[in-house]
Amino acid sequence: MTLTTNYIECLNVCKKYHKKKIINNYNKKFYKGKCYMIIGENGSGKSTLLKIILGLIRPSSGYINNPYNKISYVPEKINLPNNVKVIEFINVLKDIKNGEDKRIDELFDYFNLSFAKEYKFKELSKGMMQKVIIIQALMTDSDVYIFDEVLNGLDPVMQDKFLNYIELLKKNNALILITSHYSNYYKNVIDEMVIMKSNYD
């Protein structure tokens, strides 16, 4: 099937939880080849919007036009299996995503984590766990990459390496959506700042 658009479009998207309106009539187009920083105070619906785009939750009303099936995601929080080895976890996802060993090895080298492949998750620091979650998102080519507070736990060197990788994804015409409370870190890679406002009605 030939795609008729090169963007994801939000059309009058609303989301309520127990009558509390989180997102109200949101309209926006996100284009491939660009990096968007989605900012807003807590409760403004940033993570909720990402989950709607991912298809993890449904909008209360409105519509998301998302023609892309290949989406990679780094959530803000994730529970990892304490007694499972890193490489076992990655290999399961590799089989699901049809990943390649060479690319996975390159990513482990790039993020200075090759030494920890045989570690169990309970033996990892927060930063090391974050690197594993980033690697699983980057192990295959995707049309869309969604990163929710992705720099949490990374030291400045790894933050810079991740931002350099964002530039590579943009050159490959990926659509990138990022949320962060520290938007200044991304100033050299983002193409557009998207501000979401809280709804109090």
Side-chain angles (χ1 to χ4, degrees):
M1 182 179 70
T2 301
L3 297 177
T4 57
T5 65
N6 65 336
Y7 55 81
I8 292 173
E9 184 172 15
C10 303
L11 296 166
N12 298 317
V13 171
C14 295
K15 184 62 183 179
K16 293 182 180 179
Y17 289 110
H18 306 294
K19 297 183 179 181
K20 178 178 174 60
K21 191 176 292 182
I22 305 299
I23 299 175
N24 184 28
N25 292 325
Y26 188 75
N27 293 277
K28 179 67 181 175
K29 290 180 180 178
F30 299 100
Y31 287 88
K32 288 197 74 180
K34 290 191 175 183
C35 179
Y36 296 85
M37 168 65 64
I38 302 174
I39 63 172
E41 60 189 60
N42 291 338
S44 60
K46 302 184 300 295
S47 293
T48 298
L49 177 65
L50 297 185
K51 290 176 182 177
I52 291 174
I53 291 173
L54 282 160
L56 297 177
I57 59 177
R58 294 182 179 181
S60 302
S61 61
Y63 179 71
I64 295 284
N65 176 25
N66 181 4
Y68 306 111
N69 294 319
K70 294 181 178 180
I71 302 178
S72 292
Y73 178 42
V74 173
E76 180 179 7
K77 296 178 181 179
I78 186 171
N79 292 321
L80 296 167
N82 282 336
N83 290 312
V84 172
K85 291 182 178 180
V86 169
I87 194 60
E88 293 172 344
F89 174 79
I90 289 295
N91 282 339
V92 169
L93 294 179
K94 180 190 72 174
D95 292 340
I96 294 171
K97 297 183 176 186
N98 295 318
E100 296 180 357
D101 288 331
K102 180 180 178 182
R103 179 160 178 171
I104 291 170
D105 288 341
E106 289 172 349
L107 286 166
F108 271 97
D109 288 341
Y110 184 79
F111 288 105
N112 297 335
L113 200 63
S114 295
F115 69 93
K117 286 182 179 179
E118 296 295 329
Y119 286 21
K120 294 181 178 180
F121 279 106
K122 65 182 180 182
E123 300 172 306
L124 302 185
S125 67
K126 181 179 178 180
M128 292 162 70
M129 288 185 186
Q130 189 68 3
K131 290 179 189 179
V132 175
I133 301 306
I134 292 171
I135 288 170
Q136 66 80 29
L138 300 178
M139 70 166 65
T140 55
D141 291 327
S142 295
D143 296 303
V144 182
Y145 293 85
I146 296 179
F147 301 111
D148 196 353
E149 296 290 352
V150 70
L151 296 184
N152 285 350
L154 299 184
D155 63 40
V157 173
M158 289 298 107
Q159 289 176 0
D160 287 344
K161 296 198 82 167
F162 175 76
L163 295 177
N164 289 337
Y165 210 96
I166 290 291
E167 293 285 10
L168 177 61
L169 297 179
K170 288 170 61 176
K171 290 178 181 178
N172 289 335
N173 200 38
L175 193 169
I176 303 156
L177 303 176
I178 299 173
T179 66
S180 176
H181 289 94
Y182 306 100
S183 58
N184 191 53
Y185 290 159
Y186 296 89
K187 62 183 180 181
N188 293 326
V189 299
I190 59 173
D191 297 292
E192 183 177 341
M193 194 82 75
V194 178
I195 302 173
M196 297 194 70
K197 297 180 180 179
S198 297
N199 296 281
Y200 298 103
D201 54 340

